[in-house]
Amino acid sequence: MNKMKDFFNEVANGDLDKIKAFIENGIDVNEKDENEQTALMVAVMSNNPEVVKLLLECKADVDAFGIHKEDRNPINYASAYGLVDIVKILLEYKPNMKLLNVYGGTPLIPACEQGHYEVAKLLLEETDVDVNHINNLGYTALYEVTFSPNRSSVYVDITNLLIKHGADRNIKDKGGRTPLEIATKNGLEAIANILEGQ
């Protein structure tokens, strides 16, 4: 058990040589630590692209679920936190875009909600993620863009991106409101104009 703990410590620290030595000596890269995380998830959470790449090359499961808050697998976590370089590496290994977070959402939804344009663009252009997926709260990615009055210009770009990739502007939330209605209510004039087709 100490050997496994040491391995996870090196993954968190990002020491590639020591990680390689553990793997060469037969450590199981898909074993979970006491927090139910795989080494890959720990590397993603540590924002260490080189370690992520090494583990994937050594057959780490790109879809392994952990228990980290709401973002329970590597692509969900990396997308929600805007870790662009890690998202790019993960996408090379074809993660399952139908694996949902605890809110029943795809990686695209938190990426849009948090304003991570580059991540959203990667997901839409390089995966089969459902642009119109509705999470357990009743929200689509497009709806999440309009959710707050304090939206910077990047959210305008994300709105255009979503529309370009087929986002349905007429899907309503559980309260019967469209993204346009929410954008208008929150004073998001530029976004509302896009949603009106102007």
Side-chain angles (χ1 to χ4, degrees):
M1 185 61 194
N2 284 341
K3 183 180 175 186
M4 186 59 70
K5 192 169 185 179
D6 291 342
F7 171 62
F8 275 95
N9 285 338
E10 297 307 338
V11 169
N13 293 334
D15 191 319
L16 289 175
D17 290 335
K18 288 182 179 177
I19 294 166
K20 284 177 188 173
F22 272 107
I23 294 170
E24 286 165 4
N25 286 318
I27 205 92
D28 181 359
V29 294
N30 289 308
E31 189 73 36
K32 292 188 175 183
D33 66 9
E34 66 271 17
N35 297 315
E36 290 297 307
Q37 310 288 8
T38 63
L40 178 61
M41 192 67 188
V42 171
V44 171
M45 289 164 57
S46 302
N47 193 14
N48 196 319
E50 288 185 330
V51 177
V52 168
K53 190 168 181 60
L54 171 63
L55 291 170
L56 286 166
E57 287 170 351
C58 295
K59 309 299 183 192
D61 181 359
V62 72
D63 291 323
F65 270 61
I67 56 167
H68 183 275
K69 297 181 182 176
E70 67 270 18
D71 305 299
R72 298 178 297 171
N73 72 344
I75 193 63
N76 270 304
Y77 185 97
S79 298
Y81 287 88
L83 309 180
V84 179
D85 291 340
I86 288 178
V87 168
K88 287 178 181 176
I89 295 166
L90 292 171
L91 292 186
E92 291 176 23
Y93 290 81
K94 308 297 182 193
N96 182 353
M97 300 306 290
K98 293 179 173 60
L99 293 179
L100 307 178
N101 63 24
V102 76
Y103 299 114
T106 64
L108 179 66
I109 293 177
C112 292
E113 192 237 336
Q114 295 296 325
H116 301 311
Y117 175 84
E118 289 301 326
V119 170
K121 189 168 185 283
L122 282 167
L123 295 177
L124 288 165
E125 291 182 352
E126 298 188 18
T127 79
D128 62 351
V129 69
D130 181 1
V131 70
N132 290 313
H133 178 83
I134 301 168
N135 67 15
N136 295 342
L137 303 173
Y139 305 151
T140 62
L142 187 59
Y143 183 93
E144 290 281 12
V145 170
T146 68
F147 200 66
S148 169
N150 304 308
R151 291 305 199 203
S152 63
S153 60
V154 73
Y155 287 93
V156 177
D157 297 335
I158 291 173
T159 302
N160 278 318
L161 181 70
L162 289 168
I163 295 295
K164 176 185 171 186
H165 285 273
D168 185 345
R169 62 190 88 190
N170 297 312
I171 294 175
K172 297 178 179 179
D173 67 5
K174 290 181 178 179
R177 300 166 300 179
T178 64
L180 173 58
E181 289 175 271
I182 298 299
T184 303
K185 173 178 173 284
N186 286 328
L188 303 172
E189 186 177 346
I191 291 175
N193 286 342
I194 296 167
L195 296 174
E196 285 180 321
Q198 296 179 16

